[in-house]
Amino acid sequence: MKFVNGFTLVLVVLFLNGCASYIAHEIMNPKKLNIEGDYPEWTIEKTLCDDNVQCIKAIALVDDGPKEINLTKYLTKITRTVNMNIYDQVWQYQHIYDERQSLTLSKPLDNQLIFIFAPYKMPTKLLVGYTRWLQLMTGAEVLLIPGADKSERFAFGLEYISPIVAEIKRRQADKVHLIGFSMGAVAAQAVAAETDNAQLYLIAPMTNFKQATKAIWDIYHSKKYYAKLISTGNIEDAVAIVFDKLNISPADINIIEKMQGSKTPTYVYASNQDKIALAADWNNVNSGNISVKKYQQLTHLEMMSLLEQNLMIDFVSDLLARQVSKNETETIGILCQSDDQACLSQIEE
């Protein structure tokens, strides 16, 4: 019995000594989701390359995609994935095509580009629906950039910058809209810094990787049986290992510091309830080019889903450069609580 207890103690000590390295490895090499067949037939994979043949994959849309989008099936999948019942809303968008208005109202962002930067380890399929919605609603071409965890070599999405900037220069669009979700804000901000005609939209943007990692641990792992073997120090050490292996510093992905003095029009959407991307980090930002909108009760996942009417209206109003009304269902779709039968009847009709 003493031998068994002693052997167990040795295993625990060995585990703890290598714990930070293991956590760092898991961060940089997350379990890849099987995405074969995960995208609708109205999407295609597009390769973006710079002049040095550094390439990345993006998700683009074909012209004959659906004119009606219902995210319920996507959200059901996401709910099962994270095992949290946070999506008690139903959102549906239907594109109303009027040939008489097709040259004006239906294409407010004609000859413009939109890039969506997906968050870390969130199934990209959820954002495909929003990608289609944005393309139908704005008339702009929309490209979806998968999260940093989908890269061949994890680097917070920094490896995406050069191919995307090269693509933007080739397209010569009138304006480029860069939408970054959570960790996707890192690449979105970096691309904006190298693009003269960009506008930046950061939704629940990651401002501090160490703080975000500790918050994710606390929210999703701290109550697990193995949590007693892992300390906050292990998490902090793992973060330090990630930076060391990538040969970058926290300053390299500090989007707030990098935006000081930026002339890029920037819209930030943050929630005081978000424990992963802190709204308070934006309290001392003093720039006439940065607009920060804060919400009270939305978690990080709820922010990234956009399924809250005020958030949706604010985002679309900034994107279209005009105040959007909640009654403009042809623009923002219909958003209902799952138990609001009166609202749901609008979707059924």
Side-chain angles (χ1 to χ4, degrees), residues 313-339:
I313 290 173
D314 288 342
F315 167 65
V316 176
S317 296
D318 293 333
L319 183 67
L320 300 182
R322 68 174 180 83
Q323 184 58 50
V324 172
S325 164
K326 66 179 181 180
N327 297 321
E328 294 184 47
T329 57
E330 73 279 7
T331 299
I332 62 174
I334 298 175
L335 176 62
C336 304
Q337 294 290 326
S338 59
D339 59 355

Side-chain angles (χ1 to χ4, degrees), residues 287-303:
S287 172
N289 294 314
I290 300 176
S291 170
V292 180
K293 295 181 174 69
K294 295 183 180 180
Y295 309 87
Q296 296 303 318
Q297 301 299 325
L298 302 179
T299 66
H300 192 66
L301 287 175
E302 288 171 327
M303 285 291 296

Side-chain angles (χ1 to χ4, degrees), residues 107-155:
K107 296 184 179 181
L109 303 186
D110 193 27
N111 200 35
Q112 299 185 27
L113 276 174
I114 296 176
F115 286 87
I116 299 176
F117 296 80
Y120 175 89
K121 214 171 182 182
M122 185 174 185
T124 314
K125 186 174 181 180
L126 172 62
L127 294 179
V128 169
Y130 287 129
T131 301
R132 185 64 183 164
W133 161 61
L134 285 172
Q135 187 154 306
L136 288 170
M137 186 261 290
T138 67
E141 182 174 356
V142 185
L143 293 173
L144 174 58
I145 308 300
D149 57 296
K150 305 296 193 300
S151 174
E152 292 184 4
R153 179 178 180 270
F154 174 79

Side-chain angles (χ1 to χ4, degrees), residues 231-244:
S231 68
T232 300
N234 294 136
I235 305 297
E236 294 178 345
D237 290 344
V239 169
I241 291 172
V242 170
F243 283 119
D244 183 62

Side-chain angles (χ1 to χ4, degrees), residues 197-227:
N197 60 339
Q199 287 195 175
L200 187 59
Y201 312 80
L202 305 179
I203 300 168
M206 185 190 76
T207 51
N208 185 314
F209 178 60
K210 180 167 73 173
Q211 186 278 327
T213 304
K214 290 164 66 175
I216 290 171
W217 168 262
D218 185 60
I219 294 170
Y220 297 111
H221 302 282
S222 62
K223 302 298 190 295
K224 303 292 185 180
Y225 69 92
Y226 52 77

Side-chain angles (χ1 to χ4, degrees), residues 23 57 73 84 102 160 184 194 196 198 216 246 255 257-258 270-271 281 310-312 316 345:
I23 295 171
K57 302 292 186 182
K73 59 182 179 181
M84 291 178 63
S102 63
Y160 295 159
E194 298 189 29
D196 294 333
I216 290 171
L246 296 179
I255 60 174
E257 288 297 321
K258 286 183 171 294
S271 171
D281 288 347
N310 290 330
L311 171 59
M312 172 74 84
V316 176
S345 66

Side-chain angles (χ1 to χ4, degrees), residues 37-329:
D38 199 35
Y39 299 112
E41 65 276 6
W42 37 272
T43 64
I44 57 173
E45 191 175 71
K46 185 176 181 61
T47 301
L48 311 182
C49 299
D50 63 13
D51 294 337
N52 297 318
V53 199
Q54 179 182 344
C55 302
I56 64 169
K57 302 292 186 182
I59 305 302
L61 306 175
V62 298
D63 292 335
D64 57 348
K67 300 298 186 292
E68 185 173 308
I69 304 163
N70 192 326
L71 289 188
T72 306
K73 59 182 179 181
Y74 298 117
L75 300 180
T76 300
K77 179 176 181 179
I78 304 306
T79 300
R80 288 201 300 266
T81 301
V82 300
N83 197 28
M84 291 178 63
N85 184 20
I86 63 171
Y87 295 109
D88 288 327
Q89 299 96 335
V90 176
W91 179 84
Q92 186 178 70
Y93 173 78
Q94 185 175 5
H95 181 59
I96 307 300
Y97 180 79
D98 185 338
E99 188 173 357
R100 293 169 299 177
Q101 300 175 341
S102 63
L103 298 178
T104 56
L105 298 180
S106 62
K107 296 184 179 181
L109 303 186
D110 193 27
N111 200 35
Q112 299 185 27
L113 276 174
I114 296 176
F115 286 87
I116 299 176
F117 296 80
Y120 175 89
K121 214 171 182 182
M122 185 174 185
T124 314
K125 186 174 181 180
L126 172 62
L127 294 179
V128 169
Y130 287 129
T131 301
R132 185 64 183 164
W133 161 61
L134 285 172
Q135 187 154 306
L136 288 170
M137 186 261 290
T138 67
E141 182 174 356
V142 185
L143 293 173
L144 174 58
I145 308 300
D149 57 296
K150 305 296 193 300
S151 174
E152 292 184 4
R153 179 178 180 270
F154 174 79
F156 295 102
L158 296 176
E159 70 282 13
Y160 295 159
I161 300 168
S162 182
I164 293 174
V165 170
E167 183 72 12
I168 289 172
K169 290 179 178 178
R170 281 193 291 270
R171 297 295 190 93
Q172 296 185 331
D174 293 340
K175 186 176 290 186
V176 180
H177 304 268
L178 306 167
I179 305 170
F181 288 82
S182 193
M183 188 183 288
V186 173
Q189 183 279 321
V191 171
E194 298 189 29
T195 306
D196 294 333
N197 60 339
Q199 287 195 175
L200 187 59
Y201 312 80
L202 305 179
I203 300 168
M206 185 190 76
T207 51
N208 185 314
F209 178 60
K210 180 167 73 173
Q211 186 278 327
T213 304
K214 290 164 66 175
I216 290 171
W217 168 262
D218 185 60
I219 294 170
Y220 297 111
H221 302 282
S222 62
K223 302 298 190 295
K224 303 292 185 180
Y225 69 92
Y226 52 77
K228 294 181 180 179
L229 300 176
I230 301 174
S231 68
T232 300
N234 294 136
I235 305 297
E236 294 178 345
D237 290 344
V239 169
I241 291 172
V242 170
F243 283 119
D244 183 62
K245 286 185 176 294
L246 296 179
N247 194 29
I248 65 175
S249 72
D252 293 323
I253 61 170
N254 187 329
I255 60 174
I256 294 180
E257 288 297 321
K258 286 183 171 294
M259 286 195 297
Q260 297 301 316
S262 170
K263 295 181 180 180
T264 301
T266 301
Y267 304 92
V268 177
Y269 313 89
S271 171
N272 291 319
Q273 190 65 27
D274 189 341
K275 306 300 182 184
I276 296 172
L278 301 183
D281 288 347
W282 297 92
N283 287 348
N284 297 321
V285 172
N286 185 19
S287 172
N289 294 314
I290 300 176
S291 170
V292 180
K293 295 181 174 69
K294 295 183 180 180
Y295 309 87
Q296 296 303 318
Q297 301 299 325
L298 302 179
T299 66
H300 192 66
L301 287 175
E302 288 171 327
M303 285 291 296
M304 290 192 297
S305 76
L306 282 180
L307 287 187
E308 200 279 332
Q309 192 168 65
N310 290 330
L311 171 59
M312 172 74 84
I313 290 173
D314 288 342
F315 167 65
V316 176
S317 296
D318 293 333
L319 183 67
L320 300 182
R322 68 174 180 83
Q323 184 58 50
V324 172
S325 164
K326 66 179 181 180
N327 297 321
E328 294 184 47
T329 57

